[in-house]
Amino acid sequence: MITAEQQKEIQKKFKERMDQDQLLNCMRCGFCLPSCPTYIESGFKESHSPRGRIALMKAMVDGIIEPDEDVERTLNLCLGCRACESVCPSGVNYGHLLEEARDIIQQSKKKKQSLPVKVLRKAVFEELFLHQNRMRFLTGLIGFYQRSGLQKVAHATGALKLLPKNLASMEKVLPKIPTMKEMKHRPSHLMPKKDVKKRVAFFTGCLMDTMFMKTNDATMKLLKMAGCEIVIPQNQECCGALHGHGGEKEMAKDLAKRNIRAFEDLNVDYIITNAGGCGAYLIDYGNLLKDDPEWAERAAEFSSKVKDISAVLVELGFHKRKLSLPEQVVTYQDSCHLRNVMKTFSEPRLLLKSIENVEYREMKEADHCCGSAGIYNIVESEMSMQILDHKMENAKATHAETIVTANPGCLLQMKLGIERLGLSGKVRAVHIADLLLEAVEAEAEAAAVIK
């Protein structure tokens, strides 16, 4: 509950910190409405649209309305997919406004939050994502659960029924976790077998280098094949996206500075990511630190080098290689932030279409959010599942056997959608890096048989 004292503090901060020019740039034209998942799924509720939320922010700045629970609720219900930005004729930076508003509300409420909320936020934002060794430990426990037989026991006894339905379903779609030893022994420098075309740094990420470590390995193999010398800084940190989106902007800034330090003296052409959510936040460091005289220029330089794996592979002609897979229909689900922030959408499709025996079919509304959005599918489960079910209707209509995406959250969400539809074993979801490596290895095996 927001107290009267907190309301005054929030209104004061809104007047001081919200970008008035951006708020006024919104012309209320409504171009954003068809692209907003929460507006559509809420039955076209205006307050759940981008222009509606901007109107609420402006009203708080002007003192017309008070920042009560309803205002906080509609801001929190936003996925932050930023699809509205891609269609906005005025170029409103909605994502920046949303993060600022959430940070103001969260920081103003912090002192008087309940103990359970304080403990949970501290555990997630400070004790877990700020320490990669703890991420490895937690992920390792999940791996132990999978390998020890406990998972089979949990399924056989029906123990998972004690969990909320969506969490029980998520447990089924988790990838096979690597061992602690595998997670600890990671490379720091890799060379291609032939001439070096580019020298790149690889941003490994938190979950990507633990839960999705095999995808990181696939990414590095692809980069080596494409002619990249790869530097992997061992002192890199979480990108800060979870903190920035969750009202912990100062923590996000601290993580950004640590990452800039880790990468800035490596003399690389690009900083490569394979997770759309991470990449979008890294590319936004320039905005995050724009008001810091010491860091603004360094942040802008860092952001200018960030590229997704698919964009670099296309630049280096990887799509011209001879690749093949067993005959199958493939479709692609855009990572919102990869498309809307990093502006990378044609390259993944070009790579998929280049694989022999693959029939690519474009999914209707592939650019619409799948409902994952970081931890949104946990904290806003009902809306997330509503969005996912809509997404899966479109995926099913393609008759695809393989759904490809480029972000870990999207990947788990699509696997969850497959599970909810009862299509496990008939349809699979896979990261584009894993599928491309699969195609490379399939072609190599075919060539070996011919010889």
Side-chain angles (χ1 to χ4, degrees):
M1 176 143 180
I2 299 177
T3 66
E5 182 183 344
Q6 288 169 342
Q7 286 182 341
K8 290 180 181 177
E9 177 69 14
I10 291 169
Q11 271 186 320
K12 179 186 175 189
K13 294 295 183 184
F14 260 77
K15 289 179 181 178
E16 293 173 352
R17 290 173 49 183
M18 294 302 292
D19 189 326
Q20 290 274 12
D21 290 337
Q22 286 297 317
L23 291 172
L24 291 171
N25 276 348
C26 178
M27 302 184 298
R28 315 288 192 265
C29 64
F31 281 19
C32 60
L33 301 182
S35 67
C36 179
T38 54
Y39 174 72
I40 294 168
E41 298 298 338
S42 67
F44 311 110
K45 190 174 181 180
E46 180 67 20
S47 62
H48 291 344
S49 72
R51 72 175 182 186
R53 292 184 175 105
I54 290 174
L56 288 175
M57 296 178 203
K58 181 68 169 63
M60 282 191 285
V61 169
D62 294 340
I64 297 173
I65 64 171
E66 294 180 343
D68 57 16
E69 282 76 17
D70 289 339
V71 171
E72 183 181 16
R73 174 71 184 138
T74 193
L75 293 178
N76 287 340
L77 197 62
C78 178
L79 292 140
C81 69
R82 298 174 71 169
C84 52
E85 293 183 16
S86 296
V87 296
C88 179
S90 300
V92 176
N93 290 316
Y94 172 81
H96 298 164
L97 290 172
L98 179 67
E99 280 192 10
E100 195 71 17
R102 283 177 171 173
D103 186 63
I104 291 169
I105 292 173
Q106 169 58 27
Q107 297 310 312
S108 298
K109 290 177 61 180
K110 210 166 191 176
K111 292 179 182 178
K112 295 188 178 181
Q113 282 178 329
S114 66
L115 183 60
V117 170
K118 285 183 179 179
V119 170
L120 179 61
R121 290 186 68 90
K122 183 175 178 62
V124 172
F125 292 117
E126 296 182 44
E127 303 300 332
L128 183 58
F129 281 89
L130 292 185
H131 305 279
Q132 188 65 2
N133 60 330
R134 294 175 189 175
M135 288 289 295
R136 282 194 292 267
F137 177 75
L138 179 61
T139 310
L141 290 179
I142 299 173
F144 175 77
Y145 164 76
Q146 291 177 335
R147 291 186 293 271
S148 65
L150 286 173
Q151 186 174 40
K152 290 182 179 179
V153 172
H155 286 190
T157 60
L160 294 176
K161 293 178 181 177
L162 298 174
L163 295 174
K165 187 177 180 180
N166 67 315
L167 288 181
S169 297
M170 282 182 187
E171 184 272 348
K172 295 179 183 178
V173 302
L174 289 175
K176 296 299 179 185
I177 307 298
T179 65
M180 286 291 291
K181 184 178 179 181
E182 289 173 319
M183 286 189 280
K184 285 181 179 178
H185 293 87
R186 305 297 288 145
S188 59
H189 186 231
L190 297 169
M191 292 293 292
K193 291 182 178 179
K194 297 182 179 180
D195 295 339
V196 174
K197 295 180 181 179
K198 295 287 182 182
R199 176 178 162 89
V200 303
F202 182 42
F203 186 83
T204 55
C206 301
L207 288 176
M208 288 306 299
D209 216 42
T210 50
M211 187 176 290
F212 297 93
M213 195 186 82
K214 297 301 182 186
T215 301
N216 268 5
D217 290 343
T219 299
M220 289 185 277
K221 287 177 182 178
L222 294 172
L223 288 171
K224 283 175 63 180
M225 290 175 200
C228 292
E229 175 187 359
I230 312 167
V231 184
I232 307 104
Q234 300 300 293
N235 57 337
Q236 60 181 291
E237 303 281 356
C238 167
C239 68
L242 188 65
H243 301 79
H245 301 328
E248 299 289 352
K249 203 168 183 181
E250 288 307 310
M251 288 188 203
K253 288 180 179 180
D254 182 56
L255 287 166
K257 291 172 184 178
R258 292 194 218 175
N259 281 322
I260 293 167
R261 283 195 200 98
F263 283 84
E264 65 183 347
D265 294 325
L266 299 179
N267 189 30
V268 295
D269 298 300
Y270 302 127
I271 297 168
I272 308 298
T273 73
N274 59 6
C278 294
Y281 209 72
L282 296 175
I283 214 168
D284 233 4
Y285 277 4
N287 173 74
L288 184 66
L289 298 172
K290 69 181 187 300
D291 296 323
D292 190 320
E294 181 185 351
W295 290 93
E297 189 174 335
R298 295 162 72 180
E301 176 65 18
F302 175 96
S303 293
S304 71
K305 292 185 176 182
V306 176
K307 277 185 178 286
D308 182 70
I309 172 69
S310 61
V312 174
L313 290 179
V314 168
E315 181 180 331
L316 297 176
F318 198 87
H319 58 295
K320 297 176 182 177
R321 295 172 65 103
K322 185 173 174 58
L323 300 175
S324 67
L325 281 171
E327 191 172 313
Q328 60 191 283
V329 177
V330 170
T331 193
Y332 179 71
Q333 163 60 24
D334 284 288
S335 155
C336 294
H337 289 116
L338 182 59
R339 183 182 184 104
N340 300 323
V341 183
M342 298 186 76
K343 308 302 180 186
T344 301
F345 45 87
S346 61
E347 294 91 339
R349 290 169 168 81
L350 181 58
L351 288 163
L352 293 175
K353 290 175 183 178
S354 72
I355 304 172
E356 291 185 7
N357 300 324
V358 162
E359 180 186 348
Y360 178 81
R361 293 182 188 169
E362 184 71 14
M363 186 196 310
K364 181 184 177 183
E365 297 176 345
D367 58 338
H368 283 207
C369 186
C370 65
S372 173
I375 59 171
Y376 187 95
N377 54 3
I378 297 173
V379 298
E380 296 290 351
S381 176
E382 184 178 351
M383 178 60 78
S384 175
M385 293 304 102
Q386 198 172 325
I387 292 168
L388 175 60
D389 290 343
H390 188 125
K391 172 64 65 178
M392 294 310 298
E393 289 175 12
N394 292 332
K396 188 177 181 181
T398 67
H399 300 287
E401 297 136 286
T402 303
I403 303 172
V404 182
T405 189
N407 187 61
C410 302
L411 180 60
L412 287 179
Q413 187 80 338
M414 299 313 294
K415 287 186 175 185
L416 182 58
I418 291 169
E419 182 75 21
R420 285 169 67 85
L421 272 183
L423 295 175
S424 296
K426 299 177 182 177
V427 179
R428 64 171 179 159
V430 62
H431 191 286
I432 189 169
D434 293 311
L435 189 72
L436 289 173
L437 183 62
E438 188 181 317
V440 169
E441 292 174 344
E443 184 59 34
E445 286 178 13
V449 170
I450 292 172
K451 288 181 181 179

